[in-house]
Amino acid sequence: MIPSTHEELYRPFKGELRPARWRFLPLYRAQMAVATKRKLPLLILFFGPAMTGIIVSFMVYMRFSLEETGAAGPISGAGLAAQWAAQLLEVHNLIIYSMKVVRFFALLAMAWYGAGLICEDRRAGAHLLYFARPITRADYLIAHFLTAFTFGCCAVLAPGLLICLVAVFNSPGFIFLTEKWDVIVATIGYSLLFVVVLSALILAVSALSKRKSYALASVFAVFMGTIALGGALSALMRKRDFWMVSLASHFERVADWWLGASRSMHRWDPWWSLGVLLGLTGIALAIVAWRVRRMEVVA
Amino acid sequence: MSGALIQAEQLGRWYGQVVGLSDLSLEIERGVSGLVGPNGAGKSTFLKLVAGEIRASRGSIRVLGYEPFANAELFRRAGFCPQQEALYEDMTGLEVVRFLLRLHGFSAGEATRRAHEALDRVGLTDARTRRVGGYSKGMRQRTKIAQALAHGPELIVADEPFNGLDPVGRAEMTALLAELGREGVSVLVSTHVLHEVEALTRQMVLLHRGRLLAQGSVGEVRQLLSRRPRRVEVRARAPRRLARALIELDFVSSVQIAEQEGRVSIETTDLERFFGELTPIAAQARAGVTSLESHDASLEAVFDYLVP
């Protein structure tokens, strides 16, 4: 440890360090840098959402383009309105379909990148390095939450926005924006809800687990286990409302409600689903906060 | 700057039913100090309290005049090297140190410059762009030391920095910490490898089962044990003749001879007088003394005496 370059003198820091406003940002950036170091998981996990976004966007593009070129003769005003209405409905259905498809990929990506965030820090003792610096437990929590949130947004929100943008720019006279702006808002809103709820749940599971592998297994157990339980109870009791024990069903119910699906498998009040999801998020964040605070106890 | 580096009063910290630290009152002066104790003595708990990582369950502690827990001001003036691995495997050494500097609030450029300097300082110049996952244990320890000193702190708290290092690495780490001490940085090092802290400093704090067992220089601590006999080993060509002469002294309580090895082990109640008398006695007895060693002055011996 006495290297050849060892002529430098120790320089105690004399300056003033301005307290950063967003102290979680360097930690968030570092988490993102670490997560994206390995390219293969990125490629595998985001191939699905990317392809879904691209394929559905292409279908939306084709839908508007074909209708434009397919119009051979003069069409009356009422005919044109009916044609546009049909186009918009089809695009709307495509968006609903894509949102349901990317959910699964988003779960995979968020679980992969989020499951190890807290438990691996605790296992390695990385939090000891952070908490010896001017960042608070809240900064730590926000940085980790944002990391999971970012991956979720890339998997759900990005394809949804891409499809909406393609629809807006390819619809004649931007009618998708003027007539179906609520679908765009609903797509963004639903994506954010999905990502926030899952980020909180995955972080909670990570905070309660010892290793990333256990956390990953637990996330899928929660998600798939409640689906299986809901299905089994619903079949045994011959009552569809037992699907309410399934987390996925609540997402589906809110998706049907906000995105305006014409037929929904579930009949219960959608406010229940929204309440359950927000309640779970609150509980999950409370667990994460408690575990992060407990890090000093078990440090 | 004057004043004690660390002041603790009736400091206690427990984890549920487990007592990590109990009723610890001490002052540690600036300079290099060693925190010594067997596993489970409470060293890491004390260092985490000093580094502001954990809160005291009872009592108070001040470090550089600050209450340490979650104190941003202290964090700018102190660096902590934890015992745990703590580093992200997929980052390079340079990235680790740089991003930890960014957490301190340094600009990107300043953080990079300081990270380079710190890694140079600990001898990781060539390995700085390699992934931490490929580092040896010694290189990881150096990286942790680099992150602790990169922001130019007045105090470096190092928890078991010698763990996992080979003998050369240990010597280098000792040299680095001693050099930091000479440059005016206060260093608090914990270890259970006694001769390393002895090589680094004469100031030590001895903990056992969460309590303060002794504090001061090794000699001072040894002085506290004046009632206990101190052991001296003498090698001589005529050990039996030397033993016969020494047993006559009233401050020699026992003599043991290993004739094959030419060694005489003496226990004395007054080391100073013993050393004063030994030379004339050995000359008179024509014992042919070849070496003289007092293990009792070593930290190991102090530790053996104090820890039941």
Side-chain angles (χ1 to χ4, degrees):
Chain A
M1 206 163 305
I2 310 292
S4 54
T5 58
H6 203 215
E7 70 273 1
E8 72 275 359
L9 283 172
Y10 183 78
R11 297 185 303 114
F13 183 65
K14 299 287 186 196
E16 278 287 316
L17 281 174
R18 254 183 298 163
R21 186 180 293 176
W22 307 105
R23 287 175 301 192
F24 57 85
L25 271 183
L27 184 55
Y28 164 67
R29 279 198 216 107
Q31 297 278 4
M32 290 302 295
V34 169
T36 52
K37 278 261 170 178
R38 292 177 191 270
K39 306 300 178 209
L40 189 63
L42 265 185
L43 196 68
I44 294 170
L45 291 166
F46 287 96
F47 181 77
M51 287 313 292
T52 307
I54 291 166
I55 290 170
V56 175
S57 297
F58 185 71
M59 288 166 76
V60 168
Y61 167 75
M62 290 299 286
R63 187 75 199 98
F64 285 120
S65 303
L66 284 177
E67 290 297 334
E68 273 180 8
T69 53
I75 303 176
S76 66
L80 197 61
Q83 183 187 317
W84 284 352
Q87 282 174 342
L88 291 177
L89 184 65
E90 273 189 48
V91 170
H92 184 172
N93 286 334
L94 278 173
I95 289 172
I96 294 173
Y97 165 77
S98 70
M99 282 289 101
K100 290 186 176 179
V101 170
V102 293
R103 267 192 332 211
F104 173 69
F105 295 117
L107 173 68
L108 285 179
M110 290 175 73
W112 179 262
Y113 286 109
L117 283 175
I118 294 178
C119 58
E120 290 298 312
D121 268 4
R122 201 176 45 228
R123 197 162 70 93
H127 61 288
L128 295 172
L129 294 181
Y130 306 144
F131 296 151
R133 289 176 165 75
I135 68 163
T136 62
R137 268 67 174 164
D139 294 326
Y140 178 84
L141 201 155
I142 293 168
H144 284 67
F145 182 85
L146 279 183
T147 306
F149 181 82
T150 304
F151 285 109
C153 284
C154 291
V156 185
L157 186 61
L161 278 181
L162 176 70
I163 296 162
C164 288
L165 282 175
V166 169
V168 167
F169 286 107
N170 284 284
S171 58
F174 301 112
I175 55 161
F176 191 79
L177 184 63
T178 53
E179 296 295 320
K180 287 283 182 182
W181 61 268
D182 57 323
V183 175
I184 301 173
V185 173
T187 303
I188 295 169
Y190 173 70
S191 301
L192 290 178
L193 176 80
F194 183 81
V195 172
V196 166
V197 174
L198 266 196
S199 298
L201 286 177
I202 288 170
L203 278 190
V205 171
S206 179
L208 291 168
S209 306
K210 283 188 174 167
R211 291 168 175 273
K212 182 181 175 179
S213 50
Y214 301 163
L216 260 177
S218 305
V219 168
F220 287 110
V222 167
F223 212 81
M224 303 302 176
T226 56
I227 293 176
L229 185 65
L233 286 174
S234 174
L236 283 172
M237 306 294 180
R238 297 177 189 282
K239 200 170 178 195
R240 297 196 68 83
D241 283 356
F242 278 104
W243 276 106
M244 280 182 89
V245 296
S246 155
L247 192 60
S249 298
H250 288 296
F251 280 122
E252 203 161 325
R253 186 73 190 98
V254 173
D256 292 341
W257 176 33
W258 285 3
L259 292 166
S262 50
R263 282 186 303 162
S264 179
M265 193 176 97
H266 308 301
R267 301 285 178 217
W268 62 79
D269 187 346
W271 282 102
W272 272 105
S273 290
L274 188 61
V276 166
L277 293 176
L278 293 179
L280 277 176
T281 307
I283 293 168
L285 289 177
I287 289 172
V288 177
W290 165 61
R291 294 294 288 182
V292 169
R293 192 176 144 72
R294 247 185 78 85
M295 274 178 163
E296 65 164 291
V297 178
V298 294
Chain B
M1 200 178 288
S2 61
L5 182 73
I6 297 164
Q7 289 173 301
E9 275 203 29
Q10 295 181 311
L11 189 64
R13 169 73 202 201
W14 44 86
Y15 308 97
Q17 299 289 314
V18 181
V19 177
L21 214 56
S22 174
D23 203 24
L24 185 74
S25 294
L26 57 80
E27 279 197 7
I28 297 176
E29 297 300 321
R30 286 167 190 271
V32 181
S33 302
L35 188 63
V36 188
N39 288 332
K43 303 186 296 292
S44 292
T45 299
F46 181 64
L47 290 190
K48 281 175 189 152
L49 283 162
V50 170
E53 297 269 354
I54 57 176
R55 261 183 282 239
S57 306
R58 157 166 205 272
S60 67
I61 182 166
R62 293 189 85 80
V63 180
L64 294 166
Y66 298 103
E67 294 269 359
F69 182 73
N71 189 322
E73 278 305 311
L74 175 69
F75 294 155
R76 295 199 172 95
R77 295 175 63 183
F80 181 48
C81 168
Q83 186 182 358
Q84 285 85 345
E85 281 292 315
L87 306 168
Y88 287 132
E89 303 270 301
D90 285 333
M91 290 177 113
T92 67
L94 180 64
E95 286 170 340
V96 168
V97 180
R98 188 170 49 197
F99 117 74
L100 290 171
L101 279 165
R102 295 281 282 143
L103 292 182
H104 273 291
F106 287 99
S107 66
E110 179 69 5
T112 305
R113 197 172 61 76
R114 282 184 167 270
H116 278 292
E117 278 179 9
L119 290 164
D120 283 346
R121 184 78 201 257
V122 299
L124 282 176
T125 308
D126 296 332
R128 69 181 82 185
T129 52
R130 276 171 47 196
R131 281 179 58 244
V132 171
Y135 279 9
S136 67
K137 178 79 180 171
M139 291 161 90
R140 286 164 194 247
Q141 291 285 29
R142 292 180 201 197
T143 310
K144 286 195 287 178
I145 289 286
Q147 63 78 29
L149 63 85
H151 59 289
E154 291 168 46
L155 164 67
I156 292 176
V157 180
D159 194 359
E160 305 272 5
F162 304 105
N163 259 11
L165 296 183
D166 58 25
V168 176
R170 283 165 186 253
E172 287 175 345
M173 182 66 81
T174 304
L176 174 73
L177 294 173
E179 196 177 87
L180 285 167
R182 283 195 296 277
E183 289 172 15
V185 184
S186 296
V187 182
L188 180 60
V189 181
S190 81
T191 179
H192 55 265
V193 183
L194 303 177
H195 64 88
E196 274 149 6
V197 79
E198 199 171 11
L200 190 62
T201 176
R202 303 299 290 172
Q203 289 299 320
M204 61 147 198
V205 174
L206 202 59
L207 294 181
H208 184 55
R209 291 182 184 163
R211 288 177 174 275
L212 178 68
L213 208 58
Q215 188 188 4
S217 71
V218 177
E220 282 170 354
V221 173
R222 190 64 191 78
Q223 205 65 46
L224 293 172
L225 305 162
S226 55
R227 279 178 298 177
R228 294 201 70 121
R230 302 172 200 193
R231 199 175 305 119
V232 181
E233 279 199 358
V234 182
R235 286 183 187 273
R237 281 189 292 276
R240 191 167 290 276
R241 269 210 304 271
L242 179 66
R244 197 180 302 131
L246 289 174
I247 199 69
E248 298 294 324
L249 301 174
D250 58 356
F251 47 85
V252 170
S253 53
S254 82
V255 176
Q256 211 174 10
I257 310 167
E259 199 154 12
Q260 296 285 333
E261 301 164 36
R263 180 165 50 87
V264 184
S265 298
I266 304 118
E267 280 193 351
T268 171
T269 51
D270 191 335
L271 197 62
E272 210 169 318
R273 276 180 71 194
F274 175 80
F275 284 138
E277 296 283 338
L278 180 65
T279 310
I281 288 174
Q284 201 176 359
R286 294 196 300 275
V289 172
T290 55
S291 74
L292 173 70
E293 207 174 347
S294 172
H295 290 298
D296 276 7
S298 80
L299 191 51
E300 195 87 43
V302 172
F303 201 72
D304 281 346
Y305 280 144
L306 290 172
V307 178

